[in-house]
Amino acid sequence: MKALTFRGGVHPRYNKDRTAGVKTALLAPPNEVVIPMTQHIGAPAKPVVEAGAQVLVGQVVGEPVGFVSAFIHSSVSGKVKAVEPRPSMSGVPAMSVVIENDSQDSAAPMKGRGENWGKASKDELKELVRRGGLVGMGGAAFPTHVKLSPPPDKGIDTVILNGAECEPFLTSDHRLMLERPKAVVEGCRIAMAILGAAQGVIGIEANKLDAIGAMTEAVKGTSIRVQPLEIKYPQGAEKQLIDAILGREVPSGGLPMDARVVVQNVGTAAAIADAVIDGKPLYERVVTVTGSAIKEAKNLIVRVGTPVTHIVEACGGVSGELGKLICGGPMMGNAQHTDLVPVTKGTSGLLFLCPAEVDTRPADPCIRCGRCVRACPMRLMPTELAKLSAVGRTSESEAFGILDCIECGSCSYECPSRLPLVQEIRLGKSAIHAARRKQSKK
Amino acid sequence: MDKKLFVSSSPHVHGQVSTPAIMWTVVLSLLPATLWSFYLFGLPAVTVVLGTVALTAALEAISNKVAGGPLALRDGSAVLTGLLLALTLPPGLPLWMCGAGAFVSVVVAKAFFGGLGQNLFNPAMTGRVFLLIAFPAAMTKWLVPRGTGESLLGHPVTAYDTAGKLVELTSAKVDAITAATPLGLLCEKGAGAVAAIQNSPDLFIGQLNGSLGETSAAFLLLGGLFLLVRRIITWHIPVAYIGTVAVIAAITHAVDPAQYASVAFHVFTGGLMIGAFFMATDYVTSPMYPMGKLIFGVGCGVLTMVIRLWGGYPEGVSFAVLLLNACVPIIDNATRPKKFGLTKLAAA
């Protein structure tokens, strides 16, 4: 089958060889986990345990505040040591539940619907997803039950599973599709049942032929098909994925549901299956640990709240000096100032770069070469938007579509003058959003 | 861990292409045409090229220092500008005139506007047009290639005598003969004067008198294709520019072959090749979006032909490019691509 794609994009070196063939291994939980209440987009969860309390694996320790929020569960059994702000991967300290692991792994009772989930109502299925604390596992961590609750008039006809994994270095989705293809398909079927969508498509970049094979085998007998995609970044970006597979453009300012589609990451799909069939909440996930500054690169199943330091130890330590620690991939991941931060539900990878790979060269002037324009998958003019942002001309940048930017970083990647284009655009966008919030408060 | 790690906003990796690398690649692509000019015109060509490049680079370094930076070249852009300027000059131009052209190029047209990326007009073209207006006699004194009658690639070297007659240079050892360029003849005497060579391969290979780098359409085309293959430039401007010239030449030649020269003549003479591939494609002074590039190329082609066919000057490439440079902001404004999410939903 022909590999499909979108217009624009870039071809960074993928660097996936080191972990693509490495079977996922269980990482023994650490002696202490730090579970932040902000692991998702939306309102932070409210801690519902106090210091001194005994908790079990899978027990709720944080409850959602409002609709766009998520349940948080303990990932170990043991005693709550503290409920206090701790460093988090978002860069600012987050209220966290610190739990001392008693190494018993005593699990809270889990109650799913079993294999015959088809008999359950849509609301019941959705509630199981919500109770499982599910969020998008590709990195953005948007609460899954919200995505599965579009207004009925949207007429969702397709569920797309994102198995593109276009971020360089990351292989966690790749391994998941190889090792748990059935769970991915079941999760997709459950999402289709909740949404009443007739069609399911699993999009996978053509560099993962084994995953395409495994998934093609697993979807036999269902109304789900596997679609190979061209190897190009950001192939896994929601809007680009929908455009490539269905030829539909999500309207400017709209959401995928406005194109009658809901997109889920393949990891989220497997988590949906776990939550609905086994009643297992989201307290562990696959994390790719790689980069030239880590001794042993691995794909690990890691409990949420495991500090990075514990993972570094399990991977043989840092080789030489650590230049940069990135949570996620190199194109959209967040650089961390410390390795004391814990893994969350949205942590798809940990990337350890050596000092030589950290580019601190100063930028040259813009020469108007237009490479950023050709790279932009949203067909925007990054150099113009960045210039307008830098001088605070927000009404013009808004008119030129700055809010349509998906912040994929293709422009900055491609710029021969190493200008911080997407970085300026981010500042411009946040200035516009801040002004709007101020306006609505008045 | 005590030490705080280096933090920056994503992306954390970067493509391999750099601005200096782009500049040096363009310089490299001009080398065949440059070396050919050395071969054709000898020492006068070497002097003009090396002299202009050195003066341009020195003036750029001084400009950088005055602007508050180090006394150094930040990138290859000054060398490129110097080389482009030199290739539009006649061989044997006095060095001090080359220096005046270099000054107008990098100081007036570029540094005064704010340096690399800020200039409205193509620096090399501005320098050339300044020289053409300031020193018209020196700028139209053309050396005859080689000065000897030996055969190149099986073709005898040809030039025009002052009466406009095509002659084969067979006399041994002549230091310098000056004569009009093919376009100069066309301008003065009409298509009849160039009838003998208007479809000759000499025009393409480049054994006729003219500016240093304008003579060999073949080597400039080679350099231009190299830039296309390396994705330094896109096809839009050269194709639109040369295509427009060709179409206008074809129509006028068909209407009156006695007055208007052939397509091959117009495409392969003068500054069209260097203009279309190297001047009009200058990132800073050309439109950024595909549709704008096409409009820009067509505009350059029309203006070039209007000047060549009905204007007072024999050649119009430099004026055409500069005039279109002035239109770039408004072209860019009018041709911004439609952003994602405004189309295609209803269809699917």
Side-chain angles (χ1 to χ4, degrees):
Chain A
M1 202 192 299
K2 194 177 171 289
L4 301 175
T5 195
F6 60 98
R7 234 171 81 188
V10 294
H11 293 94
R13 286 187 59 193
Y14 263 22
N15 290 308
K16 292 176 189 268
D17 295 350
R18 205 167 158 213
T19 52
V22 180
K23 209 170 172 316
T24 307
L26 271 171
L27 174 68
N31 295 328
E32 181 187 290
V33 292
V34 178
I35 303 180
M37 294 294 109
T38 47
Q39 301 189 31
H40 48 265
I41 289 178
K46 186 175 69 147
V48 291
V49 290
E50 283 171 2
Q54 284 289 328
V55 292
L56 302 169
V57 177
Q59 182 180 332
V60 171
V61 295
E63 282 186 354
V65 177
F67 182 56
V68 185
S69 186
F71 279 97
I72 312 265
H73 304 81
S74 175
S75 59
V76 295
S77 62
K79 199 167 121 190
V80 176
K81 247 171 79 178
V83 179
E84 61 186 22
R86 288 288 186 99
S88 82
M89 283 191 174
S90 69
V92 289
M95 185 55 73
S96 306
V97 174
V98 185
I99 303 164
E100 202 179 322
N101 184 2
D102 64 10
S103 302
Q104 299 301 309
D105 253 359
S106 328
M110 299 177 188
K111 200 164 153 285
R113 281 298 307 233
E115 296 295 339
N116 59 351
W117 54 264
K119 295 201 173 73
S121 72
K122 286 179 184 182
D123 285 340
E124 200 180 330
L125 293 172
K126 220 189 288 181
E127 182 60 12
L128 282 166
V129 169
R130 195 178 77 93
R131 298 292 310 186
L134 264 61
V135 302
M137 292 170 78
F142 191 76
T144 304
H145 68 275
V146 181
K147 261 191 173 180
L148 294 178
S149 313
D153 64 338
K154 291 294 176 187
I156 304 294
D157 59 14
T158 309
V159 169
I160 293 180
L161 289 196
N162 180 2
E165 201 162 53
C166 58
E167 269 279 2
F169 287 100
L170 302 186
T171 55
S172 50
D173 290 346
H174 184 178
R175 293 309 306 178
L176 185 84
M177 289 187 282
L178 285 180
E179 294 168 20
R180 301 191 62 206
K182 283 285 173 207
V184 173
V185 172
E186 280 304 286
C188 188
R189 289 183 59 218
I190 293 167
M192 286 161 67
I194 293 174
L195 293 159
Q199 180 184 210
V201 188
I202 305 175
I204 306 172
E205 275 194 1
N207 55 356
K208 293 180 266 289
L209 290 176
D210 49 356
I212 291 173
M215 292 311 303
T216 308
E217 189 59 35
V219 295
K220 274 187 186 155
T222 68
S223 54
I224 303 169
R225 65 185 169 90
V226 174
Q227 175 61 56
L229 302 166
E230 223 175 80
I231 305 159
K232 189 165 75 174
Y233 178 87
Q235 186 62 72
E238 265 185 349
K239 292 174 182 176
Q240 282 58 41
L241 195 61
I242 297 168
D243 184 21
I245 292 176
L246 300 175
R248 298 180 196 168
E249 285 192 4
V250 175
S252 173
L255 292 168
M257 63 182 179
D258 296 312
R260 311 189 297 281
V261 185
V262 166
V263 180
Q264 298 284 359
N265 174 266
V266 288
T268 317
I272 290 174
D274 291 343
V276 169
I277 295 169
D278 303 326
K280 182 188 165 196
L282 179 54
Y283 61 77
E284 62 183 11
R285 66 157 298 147
V286 184
V287 177
T288 300
V289 184
T290 186
S292 57
I294 195 83
K295 285 219 174 93
E296 300 156 26
K298 291 177 177 176
N299 297 300
L300 294 171
I301 295 174
V302 180
R303 302 282 175 100
V304 166
T306 303
V308 173
T309 44
H310 181 75
I311 296 172
V312 172
E313 265 171 50
C315 293
V318 167
S319 77
E321 203 189 330
L322 179 57
K324 217 178 205 181
L325 163 61
I326 296 159
C327 160
M331 292 302 288
M332 286 189 81
N334 290 328
Q336 304 296 321
H337 67 82
T338 169
D339 57 5
L340 296 172
V341 290
V343 162
T344 67
K345 297 172 188 176
T347 310
S348 46
L350 290 169
L351 179 56
F352 296 80
L353 297 180
C354 66
E357 290 166 315
V358 180
D359 192 350
T360 54
R361 290 172 297 174
D364 290 321
C366 173
I367 54 170
R368 291 173 37 88
C369 67
R371 281 178 173 75
C372 57
V373 176
R374 289 198 290 279
C376 181
M378 297 304 289
R379 300 199 295 272
L380 301 171
M381 299 84 67
T383 178
E384 288 195 88
L385 293 174
K387 280 177 201 161
L388 291 170
S389 291
V391 295
R393 283 159 67 174
T394 48
S395 60
E396 279 157 278
S397 64
E398 219 182 318
F400 289 161
I402 193 169
L403 295 179
D404 288 272
C405 171
I406 59 169
E407 301 181 23
C408 67
S410 295
C411 50
S412 295
Y413 175 85
E414 203 74 350
C415 178
S417 291
R418 297 183 302 279
L419 288 162
L421 299 171
V422 72
Q423 292 87 341
E424 290 282 9
I425 291 171
R426 271 188 204 119
L427 287 174
K429 282 174 74 176
S430 58
I432 291 171
H433 288 308
R436 281 188 182 176
R437 275 195 298 275
K438 215 171 144 191
Q439 193 71 29
S440 64
K441 267 185 195 152
K442 268 181 195 166
Chain B
M1 171 176 297
D2 299 328
K3 195 186 133 217
K4 284 199 172 168
L5 294 170
F6 184 84
V7 175
S8 66
S9 182
S10 65
H12 306 285
V13 285
H14 203 281
Q16 296 300 305
V17 182
S18 73
T19 297
I22 292 171
M23 299 297 171
W24 290 114
T25 307
V26 183
V27 169
L28 184 69
S29 72
L30 283 166
L31 281 188
T34 308
L35 294 175
W36 179 251
S37 79
F38 289 176
Y39 174 70
L40 278 185
F41 301 108
L43 195 59
V46 179
T47 316
V48 167
V49 169
L50 295 185
T52 310
V53 169
L55 288 165
T56 314
L59 286 165
E60 164 104 347
I62 294 167
S63 300
N64 287 347
K65 174 80 180 166
V66 172
L71 183 73
L73 299 176
R74 218 164 22 184
D75 44 65
S77 67
V79 171
L80 175 58
T81 300
L83 182 59
L84 280 172
L85 173 64
L87 291 180
T88 66
L89 302 177
L93 193 75
L95 261 186
W96 70 269
M97 287 189 193
C98 298
F103 181 82
V104 171
S105 289
V106 289
V107 180
V108 178
K110 191 166 145 196
F112 285 3
F113 281 78
L116 181 65
Q118 303 294 322
N119 48 297
L120 185 56
F121 296 101
N122 182 308
M125 288 273 91
T126 313
R128 170 184 156 77
V129 165
F130 163 76
L131 290 175
L132 190 63
I133 295 168
F135 313 110
M139 281 294 284
T140 51
K141 192 174 135 202
W142 308 103
L143 282 188
V144 166
R146 293 291 287 166
T148 72
E150 72 190 70
S151 194
L152 297 173
L153 306 173
H155 291 278
V157 175
T158 48
Y160 295 96
D161 62 17
T162 42
K165 218 177 118 227
L166 190 71
V167 291
E168 272 185 23
L169 293 176
T170 46
S171 59
K173 270 294 169 210
V174 184
D175 256 359
I177 300 171
T178 63
T181 60
L183 276 172
L185 277 174
L186 178 71
C187 182
E188 282 175 35
K189 302 185 192 320
V194 296
I197 53 123
Q198 66 179 346
N199 293 310
S200 145
D202 287 351
L203 281 174
F204 182 62
I205 297 162
Q207 302 174 46
L208 296 165
N209 33 347
S211 296
L212 288 172
E214 295 180 351
T215 50
S216 175
F219 283 116
L220 290 170
L221 197 59
L222 188 73
L225 291 178
F226 174 70
L227 293 185
L228 278 171
V229 170
R230 296 297 301 266
R231 299 189 176 201
I232 302 286
I233 59 172
T234 62
W235 59 269
H236 304 81
I237 292 175
V239 168
Y241 194 168
I242 296 171
T244 305
V245 167
V247 167
I248 296 176
I251 295 168
T252 51
H253 186 65
V255 170
D256 185 358
Q259 193 183 346
Y260 302 111
S262 67
V263 171
F265 181 84
H266 277 293
V267 168
F268 295 129
T269 49
L272 184 63
M273 282 294 155
I274 198 168
F277 280 104
F278 298 94
M279 303 288 188
T281 56
D282 171 28
Y283 294 146
V284 178
T285 57
S286 67
M288 209 154 30
Y289 312 117
M291 182 52 72
K293 287 178 200 284
L294 292 175
I295 294 171
F296 183 88
V298 170
C300 284
V302 169
L303 267 178
T304 299
M305 288 307 276
V306 166
I307 296 170
R308 275 188 187 180
L309 298 180
W310 303 293
Y313 280 93
E315 172 60 314
V317 169
S318 18
F319 296 108
V321 171
L322 284 183
L323 280 168
L324 264 294
N325 283 164
C327 304
V328 166
I330 201 160
I331 293 176
D332 267 352
N333 244 323
T335 56
R336 283 199 183 81
K338 205 192 257 180
K339 68 186 181 186
F340 184 100
L342 296 179
T343 50
K344 242 162 84 171
L345 183 60

